[in-house]
Short mmCIF file of all heavy atoms in Angstrom, two decimals:
data_model
loop_
_atom_site.label_atom_id
_atom_site.label_comp_id
_atom_site.label_asym_id
_atom_site.label_seq_id
_atom_site.Cartn_x
_atom_site.Cartn_y
_atom_site.Cartn_z
N MET A 204 -189.59 26.06 -136.84
CA MET A 204 -189.64 26.30 -135.43
C MET A 204 -190.96 25.67 -134.83
O MET A 204 -191.99 25.90 -135.37
CB MET A 204 -189.71 27.75 -135.05
CG MET A 204 -189.65 28.10 -133.57
SD MET A 204 -189.68 29.90 -133.23
CE MET A 204 -188.23 30.46 -133.86
N ARG A 205 -190.88 24.97 -133.80
CA ARG A 205 -192.00 24.28 -133.24
C ARG A 205 -192.88 25.28 -132.38
O ARG A 205 -192.38 26.44 -132.06
CB ARG A 205 -191.58 23.11 -132.36
CG ARG A 205 -190.74 23.59 -131.21
CD ARG A 205 -190.15 22.43 -130.46
NE ARG A 205 -189.30 23.12 -129.50
CZ ARG A 205 -188.93 22.61 -128.30
NH1 ARG A 205 -189.28 21.41 -128.00
NH2 ARG A 205 -188.24 23.29 -127.56
N ASN A 206 -194.06 24.88 -132.02
CA ASN A 206 -194.95 25.78 -131.25
C ASN A 206 -194.33 25.91 -129.82
O ASN A 206 -194.07 25.06 -129.13
CB ASN A 206 -196.29 25.18 -131.22
CG ASN A 206 -197.37 26.14 -130.68
OD1 ASN A 206 -197.08 27.28 -130.47
ND2 ASN A 206 -198.60 25.65 -130.42
N MET A 207 -194.02 27.16 -129.50
CA MET A 207 -193.40 27.50 -128.20
C MET A 207 -194.26 28.16 -127.26
O MET A 207 -195.04 29.00 -127.70
CB MET A 207 -192.08 28.37 -128.50
CG MET A 207 -191.14 28.47 -127.52
SD MET A 207 -189.82 29.52 -127.98
CE MET A 207 -189.20 28.78 -129.47
N SER A 208 -194.14 27.83 -125.99
CA SER A 208 -194.97 28.54 -124.98
C SER A 208 -194.04 28.72 -123.83
O SER A 208 -192.91 28.20 -123.69
CB SER A 208 -196.15 27.77 -124.55
OG SER A 208 -195.85 26.68 -123.73
N ILE A 209 -194.55 29.58 -122.86
CA ILE A 209 -193.76 29.74 -121.59
C ILE A 209 -193.40 28.43 -120.84
O ILE A 209 -192.38 28.35 -120.28
CB ILE A 209 -194.40 30.80 -120.73
CG1 ILE A 209 -193.49 31.27 -119.53
CG2 ILE A 209 -195.70 30.27 -120.14
CD1 ILE A 209 -192.47 32.19 -119.96
N ASP A 210 -194.33 27.52 -121.00
CA ASP A 210 -194.17 26.27 -120.31
C ASP A 210 -193.20 25.29 -121.05
O ASP A 210 -192.63 24.38 -120.34
CB ASP A 210 -195.56 25.55 -120.11
CG ASP A 210 -196.43 26.35 -119.25
OD1 ASP A 210 -196.01 26.96 -118.26
OD2 ASP A 210 -197.67 26.41 -119.56
N THR A 211 -193.01 25.41 -122.28
CA THR A 211 -192.19 24.57 -123.04
C THR A 211 -190.88 25.03 -123.34
O THR A 211 -189.90 24.32 -123.78
CB THR A 211 -192.86 24.04 -124.36
OG1 THR A 211 -193.15 25.21 -125.19
CG2 THR A 211 -194.21 23.33 -124.07
N TYR A 212 -190.66 26.44 -123.30
CA TYR A 212 -189.32 27.01 -123.69
C TYR A 212 -188.31 26.75 -122.62
O TYR A 212 -188.51 26.87 -121.48
CB TYR A 212 -189.44 28.57 -123.92
CG TYR A 212 -188.19 29.11 -124.35
CD1 TYR A 212 -187.64 28.85 -125.59
CD2 TYR A 212 -187.53 29.95 -123.39
CE1 TYR A 212 -186.43 29.41 -125.95
CE2 TYR A 212 -186.25 30.39 -123.79
CZ TYR A 212 -185.74 30.22 -125.05
OH TYR A 212 -184.52 30.69 -125.39
N LYS A 213 -187.12 26.35 -123.05
CA LYS A 213 -185.99 26.13 -122.11
C LYS A 213 -184.99 27.27 -122.39
O LYS A 213 -184.64 27.49 -123.51
CB LYS A 213 -185.36 24.78 -122.33
CG LYS A 213 -186.31 23.61 -121.97
CD LYS A 213 -185.58 22.32 -122.08
CE LYS A 213 -186.37 21.13 -121.77
NZ LYS A 213 -187.55 21.13 -121.15
N LEU A 214 -184.48 27.94 -121.27
CA LEU A 214 -183.48 28.91 -121.47
C LEU A 214 -182.23 28.42 -122.19
O LEU A 214 -181.50 29.25 -122.73
CB LEU A 214 -183.19 29.68 -120.20
CG LEU A 214 -184.28 30.50 -119.68
CD1 LEU A 214 -183.98 31.03 -118.29
CD2 LEU A 214 -184.57 31.70 -120.53
N THR A 215 -182.00 27.17 -122.07
CA THR A 215 -180.68 26.61 -122.65
C THR A 215 -180.99 26.17 -124.13
O THR A 215 -179.99 25.69 -124.73
CB THR A 215 -180.32 25.37 -121.85
OG1 THR A 215 -181.34 24.46 -121.76
CG2 THR A 215 -179.91 25.82 -120.42
N SER A 216 -182.14 26.48 -124.67
CA SER A 216 -182.47 26.07 -126.02
C SER A 216 -181.56 26.86 -126.95
O SER A 216 -181.23 27.97 -126.62
CB SER A 216 -183.93 26.30 -126.24
OG SER A 216 -184.20 26.09 -127.60
N MET A 217 -181.31 26.30 -128.03
CA MET A 217 -180.56 26.97 -129.20
C MET A 217 -181.52 27.88 -129.93
O MET A 217 -181.09 28.67 -130.72
CB MET A 217 -179.84 25.96 -130.04
CG MET A 217 -178.74 25.21 -129.35
SD MET A 217 -177.42 26.31 -128.64
CE MET A 217 -176.57 26.83 -130.05
N GLU A 218 -182.79 27.64 -129.73
CA GLU A 218 -183.80 28.44 -130.39
C GLU A 218 -184.07 29.79 -129.70
O GLU A 218 -183.99 29.77 -128.47
CB GLU A 218 -185.20 27.64 -130.59
CG GLU A 218 -185.17 26.44 -131.45
CD GLU A 218 -186.48 25.77 -131.39
OE1 GLU A 218 -187.49 26.47 -131.73
OE2 GLU A 218 -186.52 24.62 -131.13
N GLU A 219 -184.26 30.86 -130.47
CA GLU A 219 -184.75 32.08 -129.83
C GLU A 219 -186.11 32.04 -129.44
O GLU A 219 -186.94 31.38 -130.11
CB GLU A 219 -184.59 33.22 -130.92
CG GLU A 219 -183.12 33.42 -131.36
CD GLU A 219 -182.47 34.57 -130.74
OE1 GLU A 219 -183.21 35.44 -130.19
OE2 GLU A 219 -181.21 34.56 -130.63
N PRO A 220 -186.45 32.53 -128.30
CA PRO A 220 -187.96 32.56 -127.90
C PRO A 220 -188.72 33.47 -128.77
O PRO A 220 -188.23 34.46 -129.34
CB PRO A 220 -187.87 33.02 -126.42
CG PRO A 220 -186.69 33.91 -126.39
CD PRO A 220 -185.69 33.31 -127.33
N SER A 221 -190.01 33.10 -128.87
CA SER A 221 -190.89 34.09 -129.65
C SER A 221 -191.02 35.30 -128.85
O SER A 221 -190.69 35.39 -127.66
CB SER A 221 -192.20 33.38 -129.83
OG SER A 221 -192.84 33.23 -128.53
N ASP A 222 -191.51 36.40 -129.40
CA ASP A 222 -191.74 37.64 -128.79
C ASP A 222 -192.69 37.49 -127.61
O ASP A 222 -192.39 38.09 -126.55
CB ASP A 222 -192.21 38.65 -129.70
CG ASP A 222 -191.19 39.12 -130.79
OD1 ASP A 222 -189.97 38.90 -130.60
OD2 ASP A 222 -191.57 39.78 -131.79
N GLU A 223 -193.67 36.70 -127.79
CA GLU A 223 -194.63 36.52 -126.71
C GLU A 223 -193.99 35.78 -125.56
O GLU A 223 -194.22 36.15 -124.36
CB GLU A 223 -195.80 35.70 -127.23
CG GLU A 223 -196.67 36.39 -128.24
CD GLU A 223 -196.09 36.27 -129.70
OE1 GLU A 223 -195.26 35.45 -129.89
OE2 GLU A 223 -196.54 37.14 -130.50
N VAL A 224 -193.24 34.77 -125.79
CA VAL A 224 -192.55 34.01 -124.76
C VAL A 224 -191.55 34.81 -124.09
O VAL A 224 -191.49 34.93 -122.80
CB VAL A 224 -191.92 32.71 -125.24
CG1 VAL A 224 -190.99 32.00 -124.16
CG2 VAL A 224 -192.97 31.73 -125.79
N LEU A 225 -190.76 35.62 -124.81
CA LEU A 225 -189.72 36.49 -124.20
C LEU A 225 -190.36 37.54 -123.32
O LEU A 225 -189.96 37.82 -122.22
CB LEU A 225 -188.94 37.17 -125.28
CG LEU A 225 -187.84 38.00 -124.86
CD1 LEU A 225 -186.85 37.34 -123.91
CD2 LEU A 225 -187.10 38.64 -125.94
N SER A 226 -191.50 38.10 -123.78
CA SER A 226 -192.26 39.09 -123.01
C SER A 226 -192.77 38.55 -121.78
O SER A 226 -192.65 39.09 -120.64
CB SER A 226 -193.46 39.60 -123.86
OG SER A 226 -194.20 40.53 -123.21
N GLN A 227 -193.29 37.30 -121.80
CA GLN A 227 -193.85 36.66 -120.59
C GLN A 227 -192.70 36.33 -119.56
O GLN A 227 -192.77 36.56 -118.39
CB GLN A 227 -194.59 35.32 -120.89
CG GLN A 227 -195.07 34.64 -119.72
CD GLN A 227 -196.18 35.37 -119.01
OE1 GLN A 227 -196.90 36.15 -119.65
NE2 GLN A 227 -196.32 35.19 -117.76
N LEU A 228 -191.54 35.90 -120.12
CA LEU A 228 -190.36 35.59 -119.32
C LEU A 228 -189.91 36.90 -118.55
O LEU A 228 -189.62 36.85 -117.34
CB LEU A 228 -189.20 35.04 -120.12
CG LEU A 228 -189.31 33.64 -120.59
CD1 LEU A 228 -188.19 33.37 -121.65
CD2 LEU A 228 -189.22 32.67 -119.43
N MET A 229 -189.90 37.99 -119.32
CA MET A 229 -189.46 39.32 -118.77
C MET A 229 -190.43 39.68 -117.65
O MET A 229 -190.05 40.36 -116.69
CB MET A 229 -189.22 40.31 -119.85
CG MET A 229 -188.13 39.97 -120.80
SD MET A 229 -186.45 39.79 -120.05
CE MET A 229 -186.17 41.42 -119.65
N ARG A 230 -191.77 39.63 -117.95
CA ARG A 230 -192.75 40.03 -117.00
C ARG A 230 -192.61 39.20 -115.67
O ARG A 230 -192.67 39.80 -114.55
CB ARG A 230 -194.16 39.86 -117.48
CG ARG A 230 -194.66 40.97 -118.34
CD ARG A 230 -196.16 40.83 -118.47
NE ARG A 230 -196.62 39.67 -119.22
CZ ARG A 230 -196.55 39.58 -120.65
NH1 ARG A 230 -196.23 40.60 -121.34
NH2 ARG A 230 -197.01 38.39 -121.17
N GLU A 231 -192.31 37.91 -115.85
CA GLU A 231 -192.25 37.08 -114.62
C GLU A 231 -190.98 37.45 -113.85
O GLU A 231 -190.90 37.42 -112.66
CB GLU A 231 -192.24 35.61 -114.98
CG GLU A 231 -193.63 35.14 -115.44
CD GLU A 231 -193.71 33.64 -115.72
OE1 GLU A 231 -192.82 32.93 -115.46
OE2 GLU A 231 -194.75 33.30 -116.36
N ALA A 232 -189.88 37.65 -114.56
CA ALA A 232 -188.62 38.01 -114.00
C ALA A 232 -188.76 39.34 -113.12
O ALA A 232 -188.31 39.54 -112.09
CB ALA A 232 -187.48 38.11 -114.94
N ALA A 233 -189.45 40.25 -113.80
CA ALA A 233 -189.69 41.60 -113.16
C ALA A 233 -190.49 41.46 -111.88
O ALA A 233 -190.25 42.07 -110.83
CB ALA A 233 -190.31 42.56 -114.15
N GLU A 234 -191.54 40.62 -111.92
CA GLU A 234 -192.39 40.38 -110.85
C GLU A 234 -191.55 39.70 -109.64
O GLU A 234 -191.76 40.08 -108.53
CB GLU A 234 -193.58 39.51 -111.12
CG GLU A 234 -194.54 39.31 -110.01
CD GLU A 234 -195.16 40.45 -109.42
OE1 GLU A 234 -195.30 41.49 -110.02
OE2 GLU A 234 -195.47 40.48 -108.18
N ASP A 235 -190.74 38.71 -109.97
CA ASP A 235 -189.91 38.12 -108.94
C ASP A 235 -188.99 39.16 -108.34
O ASP A 235 -188.80 39.16 -107.16
CB ASP A 235 -189.12 37.00 -109.66
CG ASP A 235 -189.93 35.80 -109.96
OD1 ASP A 235 -191.10 35.67 -109.49
OD2 ASP A 235 -189.42 34.93 -110.71
N ALA A 236 -188.43 40.09 -109.17
CA ALA A 236 -187.62 41.05 -108.67
C ALA A 236 -188.24 42.05 -107.75
O ALA A 236 -187.69 42.42 -106.68
CB ALA A 236 -186.80 41.79 -109.82
N ARG A 237 -189.46 42.39 -108.16
CA ARG A 237 -190.30 43.34 -107.24
C ARG A 237 -190.56 42.64 -105.93
O ARG A 237 -190.52 43.28 -104.85
CB ARG A 237 -191.57 43.65 -107.97
CG ARG A 237 -191.44 44.86 -108.88
CD ARG A 237 -192.85 45.36 -109.41
NE ARG A 237 -193.52 44.38 -110.18
CZ ARG A 237 -193.45 44.25 -111.48
NH1 ARG A 237 -192.47 44.95 -112.10
NH2 ARG A 237 -194.08 43.28 -112.16
N GLU A 238 -190.95 41.36 -105.92
CA GLU A 238 -191.20 40.72 -104.72
C GLU A 238 -190.04 40.58 -103.78
O GLU A 238 -190.08 40.76 -102.60
CB GLU A 238 -191.85 39.33 -104.97
CG GLU A 238 -193.26 39.36 -105.60
CD GLU A 238 -193.72 37.93 -106.03
OE1 GLU A 238 -193.08 36.89 -105.66
OE2 GLU A 238 -194.76 37.91 -106.70
N ALA A 239 -188.90 40.20 -104.40
CA ALA A 239 -187.71 40.08 -103.58
C ALA A 239 -187.25 41.41 -103.05
O ALA A 239 -186.87 41.58 -101.85
CB ALA A 239 -186.54 39.58 -104.49
N ASN A 240 -187.41 42.49 -103.84
CA ASN A 240 -187.04 43.83 -103.33
C ASN A 240 -188.05 44.24 -102.25
O ASN A 240 -187.46 44.82 -101.17
CB ASN A 240 -187.15 44.87 -104.52
CG ASN A 240 -186.81 46.24 -104.01
OD1 ASN A 240 -185.69 46.46 -103.44
ND2 ASN A 240 -187.61 47.22 -104.24
N ALA A 241 -189.22 43.91 -102.26
CA ALA A 241 -190.26 44.35 -101.23
C ALA A 241 -189.89 43.54 -99.95
O ALA A 241 -189.88 44.14 -98.78
CB ALA A 241 -191.60 43.99 -101.70
N LYS A 242 -189.56 42.32 -100.03
CA LYS A 242 -189.14 41.45 -98.88
C LYS A 242 -187.86 42.04 -98.20
O LYS A 242 -187.79 42.15 -96.96
CB LYS A 242 -189.00 40.04 -99.23
CG LYS A 242 -190.30 39.28 -99.53
CD LYS A 242 -190.07 37.86 -99.94
CE LYS A 242 -191.39 37.21 -100.37
NZ LYS A 242 -191.13 35.84 -100.88
N ALA A 243 -186.87 42.30 -99.08
CA ALA A 243 -185.61 42.82 -98.60
C ALA A 243 -185.89 44.18 -97.92
O ALA A 243 -185.27 44.43 -96.90
CB ALA A 243 -184.66 42.91 -99.75
N THR A 244 -186.63 45.09 -98.46
CA THR A 244 -186.86 46.36 -97.82
C THR A 244 -187.57 46.14 -96.49
O THR A 244 -187.18 46.87 -95.55
CB THR A 244 -187.72 47.27 -98.81
OG1 THR A 244 -187.10 47.42 -100.04
CG2 THR A 244 -188.08 48.63 -98.18
N GLN A 245 -188.59 45.34 -96.39
CA GLN A 245 -189.27 45.04 -95.18
C GLN A 245 -188.29 44.59 -94.11
O GLN A 245 -188.26 44.98 -93.04
CB GLN A 245 -190.40 44.12 -95.43
CG GLN A 245 -191.21 43.87 -94.11
CD GLN A 245 -191.96 45.14 -93.70
OE1 GLN A 245 -192.54 45.81 -94.52
NE2 GLN A 245 -191.85 45.53 -92.46
N ARG A 246 -187.46 43.58 -94.51
CA ARG A 246 -186.48 42.99 -93.62
C ARG A 246 -185.54 44.04 -93.13
O ARG A 246 -185.22 44.13 -91.93
CB ARG A 246 -185.75 41.85 -94.28
CG ARG A 246 -184.99 40.97 -93.41
CD ARG A 246 -184.51 39.76 -94.11
NE ARG A 246 -183.73 39.94 -95.35
CZ ARG A 246 -184.26 39.58 -96.62
NH1 ARG A 246 -185.46 38.97 -96.64
NH2 ARG A 246 -183.57 39.86 -97.64
N TYR A 247 -185.03 44.92 -94.01
CA TYR A 247 -184.19 46.00 -93.66
C TYR A 247 -184.78 46.90 -92.57
O TYR A 247 -184.08 47.24 -91.57
CB TYR A 247 -183.79 46.81 -94.89
CG TYR A 247 -182.99 48.12 -94.63
CD1 TYR A 247 -181.67 48.06 -94.21
CD2 TYR A 247 -183.61 49.31 -94.62
CE1 TYR A 247 -180.89 49.15 -93.95
CE2 TYR A 247 -182.91 50.51 -94.33
CZ TYR A 247 -181.58 50.44 -94.06
OH TYR A 247 -180.88 51.60 -93.74
N PHE A 248 -185.97 47.38 -92.88
CA PHE A 248 -186.59 48.31 -91.83
C PHE A 248 -187.00 47.62 -90.56
O PHE A 248 -186.92 48.21 -89.51
CB PHE A 248 -187.79 49.05 -92.51
CG PHE A 248 -187.36 50.09 -93.40
CD1 PHE A 248 -187.52 49.95 -94.78
CD2 PHE A 248 -186.77 51.30 -92.91
CE1 PHE A 248 -186.99 51.02 -95.67
CE2 PHE A 248 -186.35 52.33 -93.73
CZ PHE A 248 -186.45 52.19 -95.16
N ASP A 249 -187.31 46.36 -90.66
CA ASP A 249 -187.53 45.56 -89.40
C ASP A 249 -186.28 45.56 -88.50
O ASP A 249 -186.33 45.68 -87.36
CB ASP A 249 -188.03 44.15 -89.73
CG ASP A 249 -189.48 44.09 -90.24
OD1 ASP A 249 -190.24 45.10 -90.15
OD2 ASP A 249 -189.81 42.97 -90.78
N GLU A 250 -185.12 45.22 -89.21
CA GLU A 250 -183.86 45.19 -88.46
C GLU A 250 -183.47 46.53 -87.97
O GLU A 250 -182.89 46.67 -86.82
CB GLU A 250 -182.80 44.54 -89.31
CG GLU A 250 -182.96 43.07 -89.64
CD GLU A 250 -182.04 42.54 -90.73
OE1 GLU A 250 -181.07 43.23 -91.01
OE2 GLU A 250 -182.20 41.34 -91.11
N LEU A 251 -183.68 47.64 -88.68
CA LEU A 251 -183.44 48.90 -88.36
C LEU A 251 -184.30 49.30 -87.06
O LEU A 251 -183.74 49.89 -86.12
CB LEU A 251 -183.71 49.91 -89.48
CG LEU A 251 -183.07 51.30 -89.39
CD1 LEU A 251 -181.60 51.29 -89.31
CD2 LEU A 251 -183.59 52.11 -90.61
N ARG A 252 -185.49 48.91 -87.09
CA ARG A 252 -186.35 49.20 -85.92
C ARG A 252 -185.90 48.48 -84.72
O ARG A 252 -185.84 49.01 -83.60
CB ARG A 252 -187.85 48.77 -86.30
CG ARG A 252 -188.86 49.81 -86.07
CD ARG A 252 -190.23 49.41 -86.44
NE ARG A 252 -190.59 49.84 -87.81
CZ ARG A 252 -190.51 49.13 -88.91
NH1 ARG A 252 -190.22 47.82 -88.92
NH2 ARG A 252 -190.84 49.61 -90.04
N GLN A 253 -185.59 47.22 -84.93
CA GLN A 253 -185.00 46.42 -83.75
C GLN A 253 -183.74 47.01 -83.22
O GLN A 253 -183.59 47.17 -81.98
CB GLN A 253 -184.76 44.98 -84.23
CG GLN A 253 -185.98 44.15 -84.43
CD GLN A 253 -185.62 42.79 -85.07
OE1 GLN A 253 -184.53 42.42 -85.29
NE2 GLN A 253 -186.66 41.92 -85.16
N ALA A 254 -182.90 47.48 -84.05
CA ALA A 254 -181.62 48.05 -83.62
C ALA A 254 -181.97 49.40 -82.85
O ALA A 254 -181.36 49.66 -81.81
CB ALA A 254 -180.73 48.33 -84.79
N ALA A 255 -182.82 50.21 -83.36
CA ALA A 255 -183.24 51.49 -82.67
C ALA A 255 -183.86 51.11 -81.36
O ALA A 255 -183.66 51.89 -80.34
CB ALA A 255 -184.20 52.19 -83.54
N ASN A 256 -184.66 50.07 -81.24
CA ASN A 256 -185.29 49.77 -80.00
C ASN A 256 -184.30 49.17 -78.96
O ASN A 256 -184.55 49.18 -77.82
CB ASN A 256 -186.48 48.79 -80.23
CG ASN A 256 -187.63 49.35 -80.93
OD1 ASN A 256 -187.88 50.63 -80.87
ND2 ASN A 256 -188.42 48.58 -81.63
N ALA A 257 -183.21 48.68 -79.40
CA ALA A 257 -182.22 48.09 -78.53
C ALA A 257 -181.34 49.18 -77.90
O ALA A 257 -180.58 48.86 -76.95
CB ALA A 257 -181.38 47.11 -79.31
N ILE A 258 -181.44 50.41 -78.34
CA ILE A 258 -180.62 51.52 -77.81
C ILE A 258 -181.29 51.82 -76.41
O ILE A 258 -182.46 52.14 -76.32
CB ILE A 258 -180.61 52.74 -78.68
CG1 ILE A 258 -179.96 52.41 -80.02
CG2 ILE A 258 -179.95 53.89 -77.98
CD1 ILE A 258 -180.01 53.49 -81.05
N PRO A 259 -180.43 51.82 -75.37
CA PRO A 259 -181.02 52.15 -74.04
C PRO A 259 -181.60 53.54 -73.95
O PRO A 259 -180.97 54.46 -74.57
CB PRO A 259 -179.77 51.90 -73.14
CG PRO A 259 -178.75 51.25 -73.88
CD PRO A 259 -179.00 51.49 -75.36
N PRO A 260 -182.60 53.76 -73.22
CA PRO A 260 -183.15 55.16 -73.11
C PRO A 260 -182.21 56.23 -72.65
O PRO A 260 -182.24 57.32 -73.10
CB PRO A 260 -184.35 54.98 -72.10
CG PRO A 260 -184.61 53.52 -72.17
CD PRO A 260 -183.31 52.85 -72.49
N SER A 261 -181.19 55.85 -71.81
CA SER A 261 -180.24 56.86 -71.30
C SER A 261 -179.43 57.37 -72.50
O SER A 261 -179.00 58.57 -72.45
CB SER A 261 -179.32 56.23 -70.32
OG SER A 261 -178.63 55.07 -70.84
N ILE A 262 -179.22 56.62 -73.55
CA ILE A 262 -178.44 57.05 -74.70
C ILE A 262 -179.30 58.02 -75.51
O ILE A 262 -178.82 59.04 -76.06
CB ILE A 262 -178.06 55.78 -75.65
CG1 ILE A 262 -177.26 54.84 -74.82
CG2 ILE A 262 -177.39 56.38 -76.84
CD1 ILE A 262 -175.71 54.94 -75.02
N HIS A 263 -180.63 57.80 -75.60
CA HIS A 263 -181.45 58.68 -76.30
C HIS A 263 -181.40 60.12 -75.77
O HIS A 263 -181.39 61.11 -76.51
CB HIS A 263 -182.96 58.24 -76.28
CG HIS A 263 -183.28 57.03 -77.11
ND1 HIS A 263 -183.41 57.10 -78.50
CD2 HIS A 263 -183.41 55.73 -76.82
CE1 HIS A 263 -183.72 55.88 -78.93
NE2 HIS A 263 -183.74 55.06 -77.86
N HIS A 264 -181.37 60.22 -74.49
CA HIS A 264 -181.24 61.58 -73.86
C HIS A 264 -179.90 62.27 -74.04
O HIS A 264 -179.81 63.44 -73.96
CB HIS A 264 -181.61 61.43 -72.34
CG HIS A 264 -182.96 60.98 -72.09
ND1 HIS A 264 -184.14 61.63 -72.47
CD2 HIS A 264 -183.42 59.81 -71.51
CE1 HIS A 264 -185.19 60.94 -72.11
NE2 HIS A 264 -184.83 59.81 -71.58
N ALA A 265 -178.89 61.41 -74.27
CA ALA A 265 -177.54 62.02 -74.47
C ALA A 265 -177.30 62.54 -75.84
O ALA A 265 -176.39 63.28 -76.14
CB ALA A 265 -176.42 60.98 -74.09
N LEU A 266 -178.23 62.11 -76.81
CA LEU A 266 -178.00 62.50 -78.23
C LEU A 266 -178.47 63.96 -78.37
O LEU A 266 -179.43 64.43 -77.73
CB LEU A 266 -178.91 61.60 -79.08
CG LEU A 266 -178.48 60.13 -79.13
CD1 LEU A 266 -179.52 59.35 -80.02
CD2 LEU A 266 -177.09 60.03 -79.78
N PRO A 267 -177.73 64.66 -79.13
CA PRO A 267 -178.19 66.10 -79.31
C PRO A 267 -179.49 66.15 -80.06
O PRO A 267 -179.77 65.40 -80.98
CB PRO A 267 -177.04 66.67 -80.23
CG PRO A 267 -176.38 65.55 -80.82
CD PRO A 267 -176.59 64.27 -79.95
N SER A 268 -180.32 67.11 -79.72
CA SER A 268 -181.59 67.32 -80.36
C SER A 268 -181.49 68.50 -81.30
O SER A 268 -180.68 69.35 -81.14
CB SER A 268 -182.68 67.51 -79.36
OG SER A 268 -182.42 68.68 -78.63
N GLU A 269 -182.32 68.43 -82.34
CA GLU A 269 -182.30 69.57 -83.27
C GLU A 269 -183.18 70.66 -82.89
O GLU A 269 -184.18 70.62 -82.29
CB GLU A 269 -182.75 69.05 -84.74
CG GLU A 269 -181.69 68.02 -85.17
CD GLU A 269 -182.09 67.50 -86.57
OE1 GLU A 269 -182.42 68.36 -87.45
OE2 GLU A 269 -182.04 66.32 -86.81
#
């Protein structure tokens, strides 16, 4: 097996990645997922806020209060 690093390993390779390379790939994938989730969550709440702000004030008063 040749010397493998995160920069030289190809996912389509027939060789299994070393434990170190696999660990680095997993860390990077997890970080990408965390970033995408944070962006999606922010976008969701931004859209929810916009939708709430678009409700006319007269409707707010018609809603039952607790």
Side-chain angles (χ1 to χ4, degrees):
M204 183 185 294
R205 62 188 176 156
N206 192 10
M207 195 181 300
S208 76
I209 189 77
D210 296 322
T211 61
Y212 181 71
K213 294 183 182 345
L214 288 174
T215 56
S216 173
M217 295 303 289
E218 292 180 55
E219 298 261 340
S221 66
D222 289 344
E223 294 81 17
V224 169
L225 183 57
S226 179
Q227 182 66 29
L228 286 168
M229 297 302 288
R230 275 193 300 275
E231 289 183 15
E234 180 60 29
D235 288 347
R237 276 190 294 276
E238 289 174 10
N240 183 51
K242 287 177 185 176
T244 300
Q245 184 63 48
R246 193 168 51 249
Y247 170 77
F248 283 106
D249 288 346
E250 290 175 10
L251 195 59
R252 231 176 266 102
Q253 287 175 355
N256 290 336
I258 297 172
S261 60
I262 302 262
H263 286 284
H264 298 295
L266 295 174
S268 60
E269 292 184 47

